[in-house]
């Protein structure tokens, strides 16, 4: 019988290990090393060449004493390199690698349509061109650093919530209807009936409160947003959580503040190289200390008062108003985050709990990050009769929501939660003009490829 031999020692060829060993002194000038990666760029110097190799998190320089390097290798060749350490203080790693032999194990069948190693040329390209060629443009060090930061935000979200005692679950993506209003859902043919792509895990995260009390989920959320704006995708990654036994929706804002503190610190430490590449050398995210909160109605007043403009829409914040509020609290409180609380009931879904002190408003909030809404959250109605009454007040037929109401019928604790859009967070943290830059393979009104 054959068995899988899973514990044989493997040669990693990992440059990160070489760097560590050079730093701790176990590798020295002249020692043999083996590494792997993609050929990022070749600089032919006549009787030798600089070969820049790209590994998953960096690019580094090798020296190849050969006269025809550019004939033997081309950009995007995948190579196994044997060589020796050539200590050099001018090198960012403290050493280059002198190549003794190269084995090519993969490579392009055609010349690349873009010079992905040329940052200047890449910066001048239209976003659509970058997106059309995403399979290769994602390999550009700056662009892939954006995706690594997205990894960091998801990692921080999951890690933080686990430490807080939350359990991860996976909701279905194909559903019969929506909880957010249902207007902008994508329909799919489901055998001989209609199904929709879920526009939020809302119903499922609430139901899971009855199972695990504190839950979260990370996954795609679909919105048939017809508008092509710099902040909307038709498929985005939702970071959603829900928790039971809250005393008030203030508990949610406290949790979210600590969550952002955790994510910022994680990015500043473990993702520093990526922040250097995207924001500029040495730039880090601010230490979050005090995060302001303001009631929706007061925020409207404040904007009108300070900007001298009239309140046109009393129940919603326009993008310019969000931007202005973000700037105001950044200047006044030094905070990139501001919670806007007590949104008007008419603008919130049927599940939002109204404020008993003033039922025109809800116990809910939006969180702005540098002036863009990145979160919606709040306390939900957990009592069956109260939920049915609110539906009726809205001229909704509770019978149509029988499925949603099952959890209320059989009992839920007081609870609330919030949902964040991953790409919007990355967009704002990395100062990107367009949300599409924050998605590896964005989906919008006009884009279904690559
Ligand atoms: P909401 O609809 O506000 O709330 O969505 C939550 C967050 O998701 C992000 N977002 C988007 N990101 C990119 N493209 C879009 N088209 C898009 N739409 C929304 C935003 C937004 O803040 N169930 C509630 C959440 C809750 O109360 O728990 C909900 O879906 O960052």
């Amino acid at each position: 019988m054959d068995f899988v031999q899973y514990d044989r020692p493997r040669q990693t060829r990992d440059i990160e290990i070489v760097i560590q060993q050079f730093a701790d002194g176990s590798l020295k000038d002249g020692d043999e090393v083996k590494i792997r990666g993609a050929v990022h760029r070749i600089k032919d110097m006549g009787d030798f060449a600089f070969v820049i190799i790209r590994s998953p998190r960096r690019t580094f320089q090798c020296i190849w004493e050969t006269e025809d390097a550019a004939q033997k290798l081309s950009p995007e060749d995948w190579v196994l390199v044997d060589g020796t350490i050539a200590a050099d203080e001018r090198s960012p790693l403290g050493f280059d690698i002198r190549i003794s032999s190269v084995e090519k194990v993969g490579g392009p069948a055609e010349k690349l349509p873009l010079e992905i190693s040329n940052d200047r040329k890449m910066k001048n390209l239209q976003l659509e061109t970058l997106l059309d060629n995403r399979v290769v443009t994602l390999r550009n060090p700056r662009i892939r650093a954006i995706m690594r930061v997205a990894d960091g935000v998801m990692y921080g979200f999951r890690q933080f919530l686990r430490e807080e005692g939350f359990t991860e679950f996976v909701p279905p993506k194909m559903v019969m209807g929506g909880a957010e209003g249902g207007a902008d859902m994508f329909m799919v043919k489901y055998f001989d009936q209609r199904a929709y792509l879920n526009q939020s895990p809302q119903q499922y995260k609430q139901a899971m409160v009855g199972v695990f009390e504190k839950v979260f989920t990370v996954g795609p959320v679909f919105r048939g947003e017809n508008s092509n704006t710099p902040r909307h995708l038709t498929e985005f990654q939702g970071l959603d959580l829900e928790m039971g036994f809250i005393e008030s929706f203030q508990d949610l804002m406290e949790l979210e503040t600590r969550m952002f503190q955790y994510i910022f610190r994680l990015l500043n430490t473990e993702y520093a190289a990526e922040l250097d590449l995207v924001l500029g050398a040495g730039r880090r995210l601010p230490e979050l200390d005090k995060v302001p909160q303001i009631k929706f109605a007061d925020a409207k007043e404040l904007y009108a008062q300070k900007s001298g403009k009239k309140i046109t829409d009393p129940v919603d914040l326009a993008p310019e108003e969000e931007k202005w509020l973000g700037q105001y609290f950044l200047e006044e409180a030094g905070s990139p985050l501001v919670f806007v609380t007590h949104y008007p009931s008419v603008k919130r879904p049927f599940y939002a709990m109204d404020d008993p002190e003033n039922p025109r408003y809800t116990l809910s909030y939006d969180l702005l990050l540098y002036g863009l809404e990145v979160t919606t959250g709040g306390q939900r109605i957990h009592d069956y009769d109260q939920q049915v009454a609110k539906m009726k007040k809205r001229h909704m037929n509770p019978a149509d929501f029988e499925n949603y109401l099952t959890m209320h019928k059989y009992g839920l604790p007081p609870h609330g939660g919030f949902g964040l859009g991953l790409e919007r967070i990355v967009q704002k943290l990395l100062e990107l003009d367009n949300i599409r830059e924050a998605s590896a393979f964005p989906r919008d009104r006009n884009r279904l490829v690559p």
Side-chain angles (χ1 to χ4, degrees):
M1 194 181 285
D2 288 339
F3 290 99
V4 175
Q5 193 193 337
Y6 55 83
D7 53 359
R8 82 192 146 95
R10 291 189 68 115
Q11 221 172 41
T12 65
R13 289 187 172 268
D14 184 347
I15 187 68
E16 301 303 326
I17 295 176
V18 174
I19 293 168
Q20 252 171 40
Q21 292 179 338
F22 184 79
D24 71 22
S26 53
L27 272 177
K28 293 191 188 58
D29 188 42
D31 284 353
E32 283 181 10
V33 288
K34 291 177 187 293
I35 52 100
R36 68 182 177 200
V39 174
H40 191 56
R41 198 167 53 234
I42 304 166
K43 274 192 274 179
D44 203 333
M45 311 299 282
D47 50 357
F48 79 99
F50 290 114
V51 181
I52 313 300
I53 301 285
R54 198 177 64 239
S55 65
R57 273 188 107 168
R58 62 178 81 234
T59 55
F60 56 93
Q61 181 164 281
C62 300
I63 299 163
W64 199 13
E65 273 160 25
T66 180
E67 279 176 9
D68 47 2
Q71 261 95 60
K72 292 180 189 152
L73 283 183
S74 32
E76 297 313 303
D77 277 342
W78 295 89
V79 291
L80 305 178
V81 173
D82 288 5
T84 51
I85 295 271
D88 187 338
E89 278 171 8
R90 292 165 302 176
S91 157
L93 306 184
F95 64 88
D96 292 334
I97 290 172
R98 194 174 297 283
I99 297 178
S100 358
S101 68
V102 184
E103 184 189 346
K104 191 174 137 178
V105 293
E110 256 184 44
K111 197 166 175 279
L112 265 68
L114 305 154
E115 244 183 279
I116 58 167
S117 68
N118 189 326
D119 284 333
R120 192 177 41 80
K121 282 193 184 164
M122 292 284 284
K123 265 205 171 121
N124 289 333
L125 289 172
Q126 298 281 338
L127 180 57
E128 292 306 317
T129 310
L130 289 173
L131 297 180
D132 287 341
N133 295 282
R134 204 60 163 163
V135 172
V136 284
T137 55
L138 280 172
R139 298 178 185 186
N140 170 266
R142 185 182 165 276
I143 295 178
R144 76 175 176 178
I146 298 172
M147 299 310 139
R148 180 75 77 166
V149 169
D151 162 72
V153 175
M154 285 188 283
Y155 175 47
F157 179 78
R158 287 189 155 113
Q159 199 78 356
F160 172 75
L161 291 176
R162 274 192 184 284
E163 288 173 19
E164 294 280 328
F166 281 72
T167 303
E168 184 166 6
F169 80 102
V170 184
K173 307 297 177 227
M174 290 190 290
V175 295
M176 287 279 282
E180 299 302 309
D184 52 9
M185 296 181 81
F186 291 107
M187 201 169 62
V188 288
K189 194 173 164 315
Y190 194 76
F191 304 106
D192 51 3
Q193 52 175 328
R194 279 179 185 175
Y196 296 90
L197 298 179
N198 209 356
Q199 61 179 168
S200 163
Q202 185 64 36
Q203 169 180 347
Y204 300 98
K205 60 179 182 168
Q206 284 188 257
M208 290 307 281
V209 166
V211 182
F212 292 130
E213 195 178 303
K214 294 199 229 177
V215 294
F216 71 96
T217 181
V218 175
V221 172
F222 304 92
R223 305 268 168 110
E225 303 277 2
N226 214 350
S227 48
N228 241 330
T229 79
R231 57 182 196 287
H232 287 101
L233 293 167
T234 50
E235 176 177 348
F236 65 92
Q237 294 306 310
L239 311 180
D240 273 89
L241 70 84
E242 201 71 20
M243 63 195 272
F245 292 105
I246 59 170
E247 284 170 17
S248 96
F249 78 113
Q250 201 70 34
D251 296 358
L252 303 167
M253 297 194 285
E254 288 167 18
L255 181 80
E256 188 161 13
T257 302
R258 287 191 289 115
M259 187 182 93
F260 268 99
Q261 272 175 342
Y262 186 97
I263 292 175
F264 277 28
R265 283 182 195 146
L266 179 80
L267 293 177
N268 281 342
T269 49
E270 293 183 35
Y271 293 76
E274 284 73 24
L275 297 181
D276 282 347
L277 270 172
V278 187
L279 290 177
R283 283 221 22 220
R284 295 293 173 264
L285 304 174
E287 184 65 28
L288 288 176
D289 181 18
K290 293 194 174 75
V291 177
Q293 66 177 86
I294 182 170
K295 284 188 171 171
F296 175 88
D298 296 339
K300 277 273 172 190
E301 267 309 312
L302 182 72
Y303 173 74
Q305 214 182 61
K306 299 265 180 194
S307 69
K309 291 188 182 150
K310 279 222 170 75
I311 298 178
T312 46
D313 183 353
V315 293
D316 212 353
L317 283 180
E320 314 82 77
E321 291 173 315
E322 288 185 350
K323 205 169 153 190
W324 184 89
L325 287 166
Q327 190 60 31
Y328 179 83
F329 285 101
L330 187 63
E331 282 163 18
E332 296 296 315
S335 173
L337 294 173
V338 50
F339 289 101
V340 181
T341 67
H342 300 85
Y343 267 69
S345 194
V346 290
K347 274 287 158 183
R348 290 304 213 211
F350 61 82
Y351 55 75
M353 189 180 280
D354 291 333
D355 183 357
E357 285 175 20
N358 185 351
R360 281 175 54 219
Y361 296 98
T362 53
L363 300 178
S364 76
Y365 68 88
D366 271 8
L367 174 65
L368 310 182
L369 169 62
Y370 292 109
L372 178 70
E373 177 214 315
V374 294
T375 304
T376 295
Q379 180 159 1
R380 330 295 187 184
I381 299 173
H382 61 279
D383 178 75
Y384 179 77
D385 293 333
Q386 203 181 339
Q387 182 62 83
V388 168
K390 184 160 179 178
M391 284 175 165
K392 285 186 178 158
K393 213 170 121 196
R394 291 189 164 208
H395 308 294
M396 294 162 70
N397 181 3
D400 296 342
F401 292 85
E402 206 187 329
N403 184 24
Y404 177 80
L405 287 166
T406 320
M407 57 184 151
H408 299 75
K409 195 184 275 176
Y410 300 125
L412 282 172
H415 66 280
F418 53 88
L420 306 107
L422 172 68
E423 295 84 353
R424 284 197 183 178
I425 297 170
V426 174
Q427 179 189 3
K428 292 319 278 185
L429 293 185
L430 298 182
E431 301 171 1
L432 308 174
D433 292 335
N434 197 306
I435 192 167
R436 289 157 186 76
E437 295 175 68
S439 166
F441 298 103
R443 291 290 171 262
D444 60 39
R445 182 73 183 80
N446 305 311
R447 183 173 290 283
L448 274 170
V449 286

